Amino acid sequence: MPNVAGGVPYETVIFDMDGTLVDTLCMTVGAIAAHAPQCGLRVLSREEILPAIGFGNEEFYRALYPEADERQRRRIEALVEAGELAIGRTLGEKILFDGVVPMLRCLQDAGIRLVIASTATRAHVEGCLGIGGILPF
């Protein structure tokens, strides 16, 4: 039987990961700062990165570094993805926004199916959710 919130039945709730459950921006900023120079690219500020958040990887790096060639974009993408997870591992559950775990627990206890939608790779999503301790949800 579907659950009811405000008179509307809910069987499933779909979450975006980046910027909704997980504060990936802090990890992205740190990873770009650490790896952009290795790729011959300049380090970008949080304010320069923020407008591209939510794009798929190819569009994300093209928006950040329109001057970069394809080889540089592929390299920065691989380094930043690995760097984000490394930074995330040092932060642990702190990568989650406040209240995420109790909210997910409440929804799960109510029998609502929880789904993630993301433009990130499956490995990256599972890595972030695992680091935050919410992969089991």
Side-chain angles (χ1 to χ4, degrees):
M1 177 170 165
N3 292 282
V4 177
V8 180
Y10 290 94
E11 295 178 5
T12 303
V13 175
I14 303 170
F15 290 98
D16 181 38
M17 182 186 73
D18 300 310
T20 304
L21 301 174
V22 178
D23 184 5
T24 49
L25 181 60
C26 69
M27 296 185 297
T28 301
V29 170
I32 285 176
H35 298 293
Q38 297 172 33
C39 300
L41 301 169
R42 70 184 183 87
V43 173
L44 301 174
S45 69
R46 180 185 189 283
E47 290 72 27
E48 291 173 298
I49 296 168
L50 186 59
I53 295 293
F55 292 162
N57 281 356
E58 186 175 327
E59 296 85 9
F60 179 75
Y61 291 101
R62 187 163 287 139
L64 293 182
Y65 295 109
E67 73 283 2
D69 62 35
E70 192 61 30
R71 183 189 60 75
Q72 286 174 303
R73 280 196 291 269
R74 280 195 308 269
R75 185 163 184 232
I76 189 73
E77 179 180 345
L79 290 170
V80 167
E81 186 164 312
E84 286 174 337
L85 292 176
I87 291 168
R89 281 189 289 277
T90 67
L91 297 172
E93 287 186 11
K94 293 178 186 172
I95 67 170
L96 301 177
F97 286 106
D98 289 341
V100 165
V101 172
M103 174 194 60
L104 294 177
R105 190 170 290 123
C106 179
L107 291 170
Q108 189 177 52
D109 290 348
I112 296 174
R113 182 173 169 238
L114 305 175
V115 178
I116 292 287
S118 180
T119 58
T121 65
R122 182 181 189 108
H124 190 68
V125 170
E126 289 178 354
C128 289
L129 298 179
I131 288 165
I134 59 173
L135 187 58
F137 286 102

